Structure formats: structure tokens, C-alpha cells
Amino acid sequence: MPTATNGDVELYYETAGAGPTVAFVEPAGYGAWCWSWLVDALAGPVETLVWDHRGTGRSDAPPGPYDVATLAADLEAVLSDHGARTVHLVGAGLGGMVALQHAREYGRAATLALLGTTADGSRVDADALRGLQAPRDDPDALRDSLRGAFSPGVVEGHPEAVDRIVGWRAEDDADSTGWAAQIAATTGFAMSDLYEVTTPALVVHGRADAVVPVEAGRDLAEDLPRGTFEGIDAGHLVAAEEPTVVEDALTGQLDEHADLDG
């Protein structure tokens, strides 16, 4: 089980496949399960790397609140431990904020894919974000809270997939303390100097996102020097709701910028 350390915090990660490294950074509170479909599709032609934020899954859970700069330093510790010279970062929600911060502060990011995120935490609906949390030992609450993460009707229309997600959440999600610490990092984030992030950036946003409005995603793409925007019919967890659409967009970006792989 590979682990990296940032100070005295131990961070769990795992990799699959071979090729250019694509690292996934999850949203607040959720475990790495939310990347399962993309990782399964991509591992092979690329090397996929998933890891658990501090406060989540198998990583340590020091007291919060957390901030995005610390989480970006955690990501750098993971990438350094793994020996990834360059990396394509895929971040959702809080993970997109961490990817932005990392790209500005460190020199490893070849491309960014930012899903359902914003550079301004004040644009996050904090109540909707808190509503995604549920006790890990309450399957009914875990299932019900997914309604805020997906488009209307998805939970009712895909019961088998939702049951699988509920099982993963019970094992991998943060507890209430970890959720609170990561929500604080999400809502407290603000990056005004986006002109410094010159990394090619694909911004993908669900048109039915109830946590981060789609307008925030459009604004993010416009404010990034090399940002492009793609809206899709999905809720907040676009990679779990429409993995094939996100895979196609991500594969196109990787192909376009294959010359940046170190």
C-alpha cells in the first residue's frame, strides 16, 4: 500500500496502468470511489493515480479546518513520492480547487481538467454541499443524500448503481469531522490571480449542478488564460453520472497535449 507523508500526515494513494500519469483529486467528503468509472476506462493507455485527501478513507485525519493550500501540498507530496515528473490533473469540486492551486504553486501539471468547480468558494452553495454528507453507517441517508449530487431522477432510475455507490461511501467517505474540515476548505477558497495559471485547462460542468452553479464554471474557463468550457447534462458529480462523456472530453485533451508529457 503506497503512502506519502506531508509533515506528520500520512496520505494513501494507488496507481494502475502505464503511460502518462493522470492524477484524480476528489470532491469534499467523498472517497476515491467517485473516479471508479474513469479509472477503469483510462488505466492502461495512461497511468491513473487516485489518493485520499487528509480526513478521507485510508489517509490520516488531523483536526480541521483544512485549506486548499495544505491539500495542494498534500498532492505534491503524493506526486513527489510516486516520482511523477509531469502529471495531468483531474479535480472535481474541492479537488478542482486543489488542482488549480497545485498548478500555480508547483511545476508538475501538464494539463488540468476541472469538473464542477470554481475559483471562488463564495459561489459554492454551502447548504447544498453540506447536504451531500450522510452518516456512513446509515445506507438510507447515504442514498438520499445522493439526490443533491446527481441530476433529478438519477437516484430513482439507477437503483443498482446507487446501491453500489452507497456501499463504497460507507467504506471510503470522510466522517463528519472530515466533511466539515473539507467543506471549510471549499467555501474558504479564493484565487483571484487566475492569469498566473497558464496550464491548458478543460472546465467541465453539469448544467444541473446544485452545488456549484454552471455559470461559475463558465466564468472559470473565461478567466483562465488557456481555459475551455464544456457543459453537459449532469449534476455535481459529472464524472460519476456521465463517465463516458467526461472520458471522451478528457481523452481529447490528453491527445491534444500529448507533447507536454515528460
Side-chain angles (χ1 to χ4, degrees), residues 126-141:
D127 289 336
L129 180 56
R130 285 190 287 268
L132 302 181
Q133 177 188 352
R136 291 182 302 188
D137 60 354
D138 188 338
D140 291 337

Side-chain angles (χ1 to χ4, degrees), residues 2-258:
T3 58
T5 56
N6 183 16
D8 59 356
V9 176
E10 191 169 83
L11 303 159
Y12 171 86
Y13 70 94
E14 61 185 43
T15 62
T21 301
V22 181
F24 297 87
V25 195
E26 64 259 25
Y30 290 132
W33 63 263
C34 60
W35 302 116
S36 296
W37 296 270
L38 280 181
V39 167
D40 287 346
L42 293 174
V46 304
E47 178 187 59
T48 59
L49 184 153
V50 295
W51 64 292
D52 293 333
H53 283 305
R54 59 175 62 202
T56 305
R58 289 158 285 190
S59 291
D60 286 346
Y66 305 154
D67 58 57
V68 168
T70 299
L71 298 177
D74 287 347
L75 173 58
E76 174 63 11
V78 168
L79 296 175
S80 178
D81 184 83
H82 181 55
R85 292 179 57 195
T86 60
V87 63
H88 301 273
L89 293 179
V90 184
L94 171 61
M97 297 174 175
V98 172
L100 278 169
Q101 182 79 22
H102 186 276
R104 190 181 69 175
E105 299 295 330
Y106 304 96
R108 298 183 195 271
T111 65
L112 299 173
L114 309 170
L115 316 180
T117 196
T118 174
D120 181 357
S122 70
R123 301 190 71 175
V124 176
D125 187 323
D127 289 336
L129 180 56
R130 285 190 287 268
L132 302 181
Q133 177 188 352
R136 291 182 302 188
D137 60 354
D138 188 338
D140 291 337
L142 289 169
R143 182 178 293 103
D144 187 62
S145 66
L146 287 170
R147 290 185 173 86
F150 295 118
S151 298
V154 168
V155 171
E156 293 77 13
H158 299 83
E160 292 184 2
V162 169
D163 285 346
R164 189 160 62 249
I165 291 171
V166 167
W168 289 335
R169 293 191 67 188
E171 293 291 330
D172 297 338
D173 278 8
D175 62 15
S176 59
T177 302
W179 267 95
Q182 293 178 26
I183 288 172
T186 306
T187 57
F189 181 66
M191 181 183 288
S192 58
D193 47 358
L194 288 171
Y195 62 86
E196 295 182 0
V197 184
T198 58
T199 310
L202 172 66
V203 178
V204 180
H205 216 103
R207 297 187 183 95
D209 192 327
V211 178
V212 182
V214 66
E215 293 79 15
R218 291 195 184 97
D219 291 344
L220 175 60
E222 290 178 2
D223 290 340
L224 287 166
R226 301 178 70 183
T228 58
F229 179 80
E230 182 169 342
I232 66 175
D233 292 328
H236 186 56
L237 289 182
V238 292
E241 184 171 343
E242 292 290 350
T244 302
V245 176
V246 176
E247 178 196 348
D248 288 345
L250 183 56
T251 299
Q253 183 192 46
L254 294 174
D255 290 343
E256 180 181 357
H257 298 289

